[in-house]
């Protein structure tokens, strides 16, 4: 009985140690997943957000992208458009906040592939955007390219991926 | 004493209704049912809710269906099959009909689909707008999928070729 208790205590200690290690020394993939969770919350627009809060959210968003960010979107019915640089991303984000009263953004089906040197990574994900109070949603598959700068991952290129191509 | 007996009979009846005569067997059966349901509805038959009008009138917006993931284990997708085409997230899919097979050339002229220059008979299409698409040669392992609602604006309708790896399965009905 004593040995069983000791074994159980050892297993619990090892388990806690492993969880602690994972939390304080996360893998690059885990760091990127946390970044993406944060990014999805940042680009979401909760109802009743003030202009000041919107401005702060947009500033926070810009910290997730490099200064030379290039984002290529291909939206059904709208065609293709490109945002180059943080200023254009800022303008687009502010326009979104002006035109939308609320938006919930989720990143689903995330597949992360970290390059051998752990300085670059590619992420494939599906963006799902829902306006609360409606059942309809917008989905778009995206491919993000990230680069590590100052020990922090940032997106330098984003592009739409079309499951159905012509 | 008679009241006690009646109470005991009542408890026993409720217990039998709720958990059966043999609780252990009931628990095993319930666990088996849970595992079976998980395997079937997570890995074999994926329940789907149709969103959008691109497959009308065959599949209406808001209707429920299921995608059979085992449909193409022993055979390849066929023309006319309604299939689920996944995004990077497995649970978000297009529901579209296969009209072109690998190696074929698909074109659309005045709303009519042409396969290798021959018009395709599509009895499931009830309404056609004058859609146009220049000929597209399908590479190996690529299928051409399109919705049944050809009366809608072509610009608002997602259709095109997709790799077989993105085809999740066949709509059950």
């Amino acid at each position: 009985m004593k040995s069983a208790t000791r074994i159980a205590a050892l297993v619990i200690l090892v388990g806690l140690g492993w969880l602690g290690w994972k939390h304080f020394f996360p893998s690059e993939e885990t760091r990127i997943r946390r970044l993406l969770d944060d990014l999805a919350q940042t680009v979401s627009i909760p109802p009743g957000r003030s202009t000041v809060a919107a401005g702060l959210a947009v500033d926070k968003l810009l910290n997730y992208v490099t200064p030379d960010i290039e984002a290529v979107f291909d939206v059904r019915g709208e065609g293709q458009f490109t945002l180059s640089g943080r200023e254009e991303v800022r303008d687009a984000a502010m326009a979104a906040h002006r035109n939308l009263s609320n938006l919930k953004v989720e990143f689903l089906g995330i597949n992360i592939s970290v390059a051998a040197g752990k300085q670059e990574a590619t992420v494939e994900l599906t963006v799902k955007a829902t306006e609360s109070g409606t059942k309809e949603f917008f989905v778009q598959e995206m491919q993000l390219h990230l680069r590590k700068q100052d020990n922090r991952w940032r997106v330098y290129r984003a592009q739409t991926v079309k499951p159905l191509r012509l | 004493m008679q009241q006690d007996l009646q109470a005991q009979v009542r408890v026993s009846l409720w217990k039998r209704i709720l958990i059966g005569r043999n609780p252990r067997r009931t628990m095993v059966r319930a666990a088996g049912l849970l595992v079976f349901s998980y395997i079937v509805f997570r890995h074999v038959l994926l329940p789907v809710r149709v969103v959008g009008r691109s497959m009308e009138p065959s599949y209406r917006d808001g209707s429920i269906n299921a995608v059979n993931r085992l449909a193409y284990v022993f055979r390849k997708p066929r023309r006319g099959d309604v299939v689920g085409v996944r995004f990077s997230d497995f649970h978000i899919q297009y529901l579209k009909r296969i009209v072109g097979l690998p190696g074929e050339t698909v074109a659309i002229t005045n709303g009519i689909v042409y396969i290798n220059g021959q018009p395709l008979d599509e009895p499931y299409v009830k309404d056609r707008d004058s859609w146009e698409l220049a000929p597209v040669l399908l590479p190996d392992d690529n299928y051409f999928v399109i919705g049944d609602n050809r009366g809608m604006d072509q610009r608002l309708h997602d259709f095109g070729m997709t790799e077989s790896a993105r085809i999740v399965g066949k709509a059950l009905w």
Side-chain angles (χ1 to χ4, degrees):
Chain A
M1 190 63 191
K2 252 190 182 173
S3 60
T5 313
R6 280 182 191 156
I7 290 170
L10 186 63
V11 167
I12 290 169
L13 266 172
V14 167
L16 285 172
W18 177 74
L19 283 172
W21 180 267
K22 276 196 73 169
H23 181 76
F24 292 107
F25 303 100
S27 65
E28 297 303 337
E29 190 176 308
T30 303
R31 290 179 68 188
I32 291 171
R33 281 188 190 274
R34 286 180 190 166
L35 177 146
L36 292 172
D37 284 343
D38 227 16
L39 179 58
Q41 282 192 20
T42 303
V43 297
S44 296
I45 303 174
R49 177 176 264 178
S50 67
T51 314
V52 171
L56 289 172
V58 170
D59 280 342
K60 190 178 175 191
L61 166 64
L62 296 181
N63 277 328
Y64 290 104
V65 302
T66 60
D68 59 345
I69 173 72
E70 185 172 278
V72 182
F73 298 99
D74 193 337
V75 180
R76 181 181 61 210
E78 304 290 331
Q80 193 179 82
F81 61 96
T82 305
L83 300 174
S84 300
R86 278 181 173 165
E87 281 309 308
E88 287 192 10
V89 170
R90 178 201 296 276
D91 292 343
M94 288 306 299
H97 277 273
R98 278 194 299 273
N99 295 323
L100 296 167
S101 57
N102 68 83
L103 192 71
K104 182 182 173 190
V105 175
E106 297 167 89
F107 292 159
L108 307 171
I110 298 173
N111 298 307
I112 299 171
S113 145
V114 180
K118 296 190 182 179
Q119 297 299 310
E120 296 221 345
T122 302
V123 176
E124 287 172 353
L125 51 80
T126 302
V127 180
K128 182 181 172 189
T130 320
E131 258 187 290
S132 51
T134 68
K135 277 187 184 175
E136 296 201 359
F137 53 87
F138 167 82
V139 287
Q140 179 138 106
E141 188 170 327
M142 301 284 301
Q143 189 178 67
L144 308 180
H145 298 269
L146 292 91
R147 187 188 297 145
K148 211 171 181 182
Q149 284 182 341
D150 303 324
N151 202 33
R152 194 194 151 110
W153 288 100
R154 287 189 166 90
V155 180
Y156 70 90
R157 181 169 170 82
Q159 64 198 50
T160 297
V161 174
K162 303 204 84 175
L164 304 182
R165 311 169 327 266
L166 288 173
Chain B
M1 187 154 172
Q2 201 173 357
Q3 276 179 344
D4 286 341
L5 202 59
Q6 280 176 352
Q8 277 183 12
V9 167
R10 272 201 298 273
V11 165
S12 165
L13 189 60
W14 276 115
K15 190 179 166 188
R16 246 205 265 171
I17 290 170
L18 283 172
I19 58 177
R21 283 185 198 176
N22 189 333
R24 193 178 292 175
R25 197 184 292 172
T26 304
M27 275 176 57
V28 168
R29 284 176 178 164
L33 186 63
L34 268 169
V35 168
F36 175 78
S37 301
Y38 174 81
I39 291 171
V40 168
F41 295 111
R42 190 89 176 158
H43 299 285
V44 178
L45 291 179
L46 301 180
V48 294
R49 182 173 65 88
V50 176
V51 176
R53 299 173 44 232
S54 71
M55 280 300 287
E56 285 181 1
S58 311
Y59 301 94
R60 299 221 169 261
D61 182 27
S63 61
I64 304 295
N65 208 315
V67 171
N68 177 6
R69 290 193 62 192
L70 300 184
Y72 301 123
V73 168
F74 299 110
R75 67 165 179 90
K76 292 196 166 174
R78 291 175 190 153
R79 195 181 335 270
D81 285 355
V82 175
V83 296
V85 178
R86 64 168 182 83
F87 283 68
S88 74
D89 184 75
F90 190 78
H91 296 98
I92 297 180
Q93 300 173 19
Y94 284 116
L95 201 66
K96 300 286 180 185
R97 193 181 297 273
I98 293 178
V99 294
L101 303 175
E104 293 180 341
T105 299
V106 179
I108 305 177
T109 304
N110 204 22
I112 309 273
V113 172
Y114 288 80
I115 304 295
N116 296 336
Q118 300 300 313
L120 183 66
D121 180 29
E122 297 188 280
Y124 41 80
V125 175
K126 304 301 179 199
D127 196 17
R128 286 180 204 274
D129 203 356
S130 49
W131 288 18
E132 299 288 335
L133 177 72
V136 172
L137 174 62
L138 298 178
D140 286 345
D141 214 32
N142 273 250
Y143 294 81
F144 198 94
V145 297
I146 193 169
D148 291 352
N149 187 356
R150 314 289 173 76
M152 62 187 287
D153 187 341
Q154 181 178 352
R155 292 170 304 170
L156 300 178
H157 191 117
D158 280 327
F159 63 98
M161 59 177 156
T162 187
E163 304 104 14
S164 66
R166 279 194 184 260
I167 294 177
V168 173
K170 185 171 182 279
L172 207 55
W173 60 81

